[in-house]
Amino acid sequence: PAHTATAARLDLRDSVAPVRSRTRMRRAALLATLFGGLVAGCADDPRATPATDAGVDGPPADAPDQTVVESRRVQIGPLTIGPGQEATVCQVVDLGNTVPRMVRTVRSELTGGTHHVIATLTTEAPTATPTPCGAFAGGGPGNGILTIAQQPTAALAYPDGAGLPITAHQSVHLEMHYLNAGDQPLAIGGTVTLDLADANAALAPVALTFTGNGAISIPAHTTAHLTSEHALPAGTRLFATTAHTHQWGRHATVELLRSAGDPSPLVLHDSTDWADRPLDQFAPITIGPDARLRLTCDFDNQSDQTVNFGLSAEDEMCFLWAHHVPQ
């Protein structure tokens, strides 16, 4: 039988302000290691008891991808989270596929209750229950990240000719950052579905670049405008990107500069909803040798204290991630 995987999401859109007194997660560890690809951190005790379920579907009836031969659906829920609780928890699970496959699509459905969920391929042995962990405890970019889910529903479809290879009984590391900013217990849950094709060496493996700007310090009742540029390997085919901020992020964009000082960059992502920024997907764009991704984040700190870079919902971030097919 298939083992159980877990995923869940917390919608922080309406109720972050009451949590000012919550213990902050360790921002120093993240600052020291995130951009090197090894991220460490700390989380509070989740005090949540999971009830899990898993399922196996056939190919979706309306799936346009005719390469899909099976879909593996995994879920967690309900997780009962007490008022004021914020934590990051992780679990390693066996996907339950009996033969090697290629991932073609990753779909997620996340209830109110999570800030993000990261699903990563791993060689770790499955664990019984979610336990407190740090940011990117399953490994950073280059370690087989399947998805960084931050919307109630999302789907990432790989381009034709591309996929992500998985072994039989693939272990998946699931990381969930949640916060119950209300005054009542919150039941959260979610599902992640992987649409799988036959193992095929002809499918080019996909990759993810995760990067951003950690130089964030916004005084109380002020605005800030942050811009940074980030390279992708020349020849890579970029097909999806998004940005990520917390509650004071009013506007975020990701643009493709074809060369230094490009006067008419291509806007790949543009969003004003910090809690529900879409993952924008498009026909693959081949990256030239002088191309850069320009990330811009605009903030409006309406709180009574300086907001710095950090892991907690009280802190801020300015990140992008980009899904691409290496050359």
Side-chain angles (χ1 to χ4, degrees):
H3 291 265
T4 303
T6 64
R9 180 185 188 277
L10 169 77
D11 190 346
L12 310 181
R13 181 197 312 272
D14 299 320
S15 53
V16 175
V19 301
R20 295 295 177 198
S21 62
R22 186 174 297 108
T23 301
R24 293 176 183 269
M25 299 180 182
R26 294 178 187 169
R27 71 168 61 92
L30 182 63
L31 283 167
T33 59
L34 178 58
F35 298 105
L38 297 174
V39 184
C42 182
D44 299 333
D45 181 355
R47 300 182 184 178
T49 302
T52 58
D53 191 16
V56 180
D57 301 325
D62 58 349
D65 186 351
Q66 299 304 310
T67 68
V68 172
V69 296
E70 69 171 319
S71 297
R72 288 275 163 176
R73 185 189 69 252
V74 293
Q75 71 179 48
I76 186 171
L79 289 171
T80 303
I81 309 302
Q85 288 185 303
E86 179 181 13
T88 300
V89 294
C90 294
Q91 185 175 9
V92 178
V93 297
D94 183 339
L95 184 62
N97 56 304
T98 58
V99 296
R101 296 292 193 194
M102 295 288 286
V103 179
R104 288 284 295 141
T105 306
V106 183
R107 295 180 277 135
S108 57
E109 298 180 32
L110 307 173
T111 70
T114 72
H115 179 45
H116 67 252
V117 169
I118 303 174
T120 309
L121 302 182
T122 182
T123 58
E124 298 175 80
T127 55
T129 58
T131 57
C133 63
F136 277 95
N143 290 64
I145 293 178
L146 289 163
T147 186
I148 305 175
Q150 60 178 354
Q151 292 181 278
T153 60
L156 174 64
Y158 298 148
D160 290 343
L164 197 61
I166 60 174
T167 63
H169 288 284
Q170 175 67 58
S171 288
V172 179
H173 186 283
L174 294 153
E175 173 190 320
M176 177 181 69
H177 177 189
Y178 65 75
L179 165 66
N180 179 1
D183 58 5
Q184 298 295 323
L186 179 65
I188 66 174
T191 65
V192 173
T193 301
L194 303 184
D195 296 331
L196 306 176
D198 286 329
N200 186 344
L203 291 177
V206 298
L208 179 142
T209 292
F210 182 94
T211 187
N213 191 340
I216 300 176
S217 183
I218 312 167
H221 302 289
T222 64
T223 61
H225 177 84
L226 274 67
T227 299
S228 56
E229 294 183 7
H230 309 275
L232 288 175
T236 195
R237 292 185 293 141
L238 176 68
F239 65 90
T241 190
T242 189
H244 180 79
T245 70
H246 289 175
Q247 61 176 325
W248 306 125
R250 293 297 178 258
H251 188 206
T253 61
V254 179
E255 301 168 291
L256 176 62
L257 305 176
R258 298 169 183 84
S259 59
D262 186 349
S264 56
L266 179 62
V267 178
L268 303 175
H269 171 81
D270 188 326
S271 61
T272 57
D273 186 346
W274 74 270
D276 195 12
R277 300 196 191 280
L279 176 63
D280 287 293
Q281 301 177 62
F282 35 82
I285 301 169
T286 300
I287 300 299
D290 299 320
R292 296 288 187 274
L293 292 180
R294 182 165 65 192
L295 170 65
T296 301
C297 299
D298 290 300
F299 299 96
D300 182 6
N301 179 9
Q302 298 180 9
S303 74
D304 296 328
Q305 61 186 14
T306 297
V307 172
N308 297 303
F309 177 87
L311 292 173
S312 172
E314 300 178 70
D315 303 316
E316 267 303 343
M317 292 185 175
C318 179
F319 284 130
L320 70 81
W321 51 91
H323 297 267
H324 54 96
V325 183
Q327 188 177 29

